[in-house]
Amino acid sequence: MALPPPAQLPLRPRGLVGRSRERSLLNKSNAAPIVICGPVGVGKSAFALDYAHQIAAEMVDGQLYADLGSAPSDGQCLVTCFLRACGMPDEQLPAALDQRAGVLRSMLAERKLLMLLENVRDERQVRQLLAEPRCGAIIVVSRNPLLGLRDVRRMRLDVLPREDSVTMISDALSDRVAADLVDCSRFAELCGDLPLAIDIAVRKLVARPDVPLVRLIRRLTDRGTLLDWLRIGDVSVADLLRSAYLQLGGAAQTLLHELAHRSPEEPACRADDLAATAPIGEELVDELAAAGLLRHDDRVGAYRLDPLVRAFVVRYVIPKMNQRSIFS
């Protein structure tokens, strides 16, 4: 009996707001694979999955999906599973991995087939899988821009603009409160405008109708309990920040620890600081910014730490005593 076309996409996420510019860029006709990158918690997976569902009806030959967060780098198992899902019997599978990958690329190039690959760690995991999908679509989601991949489109997502963060909060709470926009804005600020943090806090708040928004704001203001609240089930903002922190080099970790102990009212570091320490200071700041642990504030020409990052470092990172200051 012939298998139906694969329909492997997880559930479509609900309640997404904003990203209109990014959506319009995705909808532009371009056959190249798209790499959606950005720091932890900004909603890369939700954004990619929402778009995949949007175009799924056009992909009459099916939708392929894989989370590569813990997958081996050689891709052998994934290629084989995808070929089987597309209806290829085991006896017709080529023996060599590169031949199997070639067959899969041919399918992706010629069929109306969608492939979504999430949590890609490095280029080796996906290089053999990429083709020019004339009729379908290939979407790769990674924290890293995967600059080693040639001839792909790249789109970087960041935290939401404050207006969209407020909309996300007020929409979710509209059935129980006439959400005050000032309170919503403060709520968004404490969550660093990070979609994952806002989503977790809002879901917990909706489940506790006895907790007013102002009480939650007071709780989130306490850096000692901020990250405790931002945990639900097996999803934790602290765990995601920890994974990003552990991918940093030792010098970048030391710099982040130092910056977290500076006054929250002051910029973490200024352009003048970087000029005095170039190139090492610029390289380390670039590393922190690429990981989403440091953000550039165009208004003041300086970098700032989000409240969540500061709270994580102060609470979870073991202080490195007697370290020479990066900017001294």
Side-chain angles (χ1 to χ4, degrees):
M1 183 177 67
L3 293 174
Q8 299 180 350
L9 293 179
L11 288 172
R12 186 171 191 170
R14 307 295 178 186
L16 299 186
V17 300
R19 310 289 193 201
S20 57
R21 174 181 170 275
E22 291 85 353
R23 292 176 193 277
S24 65
L25 290 174
L26 276 182
N27 289 326
K28 289 185 177 179
S29 177
N30 191 317
I34 177 76
V35 174
I36 299 175
C37 59
V40 296
V42 296
K44 302 181 298 296
S45 293
F47 178 77
L49 189 54
D50 181 69
Y51 175 70
H53 276 280
Q54 176 185 322
I55 63 174
E58 306 169 21
M59 304 298 154
V60 296
D61 293 315
Q63 311 107 41
L64 301 172
Y65 170 86
D67 185 335
L68 302 186
S70 58
S73 292
D74 62 15
Q76 181 170 356
C77 179
L78 180 62
V79 171
T80 302
C81 290
F82 278 172
L83 289 176
R84 287 171 176 161
C86 290
M88 177 168 284
D90 284 359
E91 60 270 19
Q92 295 182 15
L93 291 173
L97 173 60
D98 59 344
Q99 293 176 333
R100 293 186 184 188
V103 174
L104 180 60
R105 289 196 301 272
S106 297
M107 292 180 175
L108 290 167
E110 301 299 335
R111 297 184 182 183
K112 289 189 175 181
L113 193 62
L114 165 69
M115 181 173 70
L116 172 57
L117 304 174
E118 281 198 75
N119 293 315
V120 175
R121 299 190 308 275
D122 57 54
E123 293 87 346
R124 291 176 299 170
Q125 286 185 300
V126 298
R127 183 174 282 115
Q128 292 191 86
L129 308 180
L130 300 186
E132 185 172 307
R134 300 182 184 91
C135 306
I138 298 175
I139 307 169
V140 176
V141 181
S142 175
R143 294 180 191 174
N144 305 311
L146 304 177
L147 296 177
L149 298 178
R150 297 173 57 91
D151 303 317
V152 299
R153 293 181 292 160
R154 289 182 176 83
M155 175 181 295
R156 180 176 173 84
L157 299 187
D158 212 323
V159 297
L160 290 172
R162 180 59 50 80
E163 180 180 355
D164 290 340
S165 297
V166 169
T167 299
M168 183 176 177
I169 296 166
S170 58
D171 285 354
L173 301 179
S174 61
D175 61 341
R176 55 167 284 195
V177 295
D180 183 275
L181 293 184
V182 174
D183 287 341
C184 288
S185 181
R186 178 58 176 156
F187 183 176
E189 179 186 2
L190 291 169
C191 290
D193 293 302
L194 193 69
L196 176 65
I198 294 172
D199 179 61
I200 290 174
V202 162
R203 279 195 280 165
K204 295 182 76 170
L205 194 58
V206 169
R208 291 284 306 277
D210 57 309
V211 179
L213 180 59
V214 290
R215 188 190 304 176
L216 174 58
I217 290 174
R218 286 197 298 269
R219 180 166 185 173
L220 294 179
T221 304
D222 181 358
R223 288 192 312 200
T225 62
L226 173 61
L227 292 173
D228 289 337
W229 181 268
L230 298 178
R231 178 187 300 272
I232 188 168
D234 61 349
V235 180
S236 163
V237 171
D239 288 346
L240 289 176
L241 290 174
R242 182 181 293 108
S243 69
Y245 173 81
L246 292 176
Q247 291 181 7
L248 297 173
Q253 290 180 351
T254 300
L255 173 58
L256 181 65
H257 181 257
E258 178 183 330
L259 297 179
H261 282 83
R262 297 187 177 185
S263 170
E265 285 71 36
E266 294 295 324
C269 55
R270 300 180 184 277
D272 291 344
D273 296 326
L274 296 180
T277 60
I280 185 172
E282 292 178 340
E283 292 174 355
L284 295 180
V285 167
D286 285 346
E287 185 176 351
L288 293 176
L293 299 175
L294 194 64
R295 302 195 188 282
H296 190 263
D297 188 337
D298 292 326
R299 295 169 299 176
V300 295
Y303 289 86
R304 294 188 180 277
L305 284 183
D306 286 335
L308 298 179
V309 177
R310 188 182 301 276
F312 166 77
V313 175
V314 170
R315 177 164 184 181
Y316 292 104
V317 178
I318 299 176
K320 297 182 178 181
M321 305 302 295
N322 301 319
Q323 293 281 352
R324 178 179 179 272
S325 171
I326 296 294
F327 292 142
S328 63

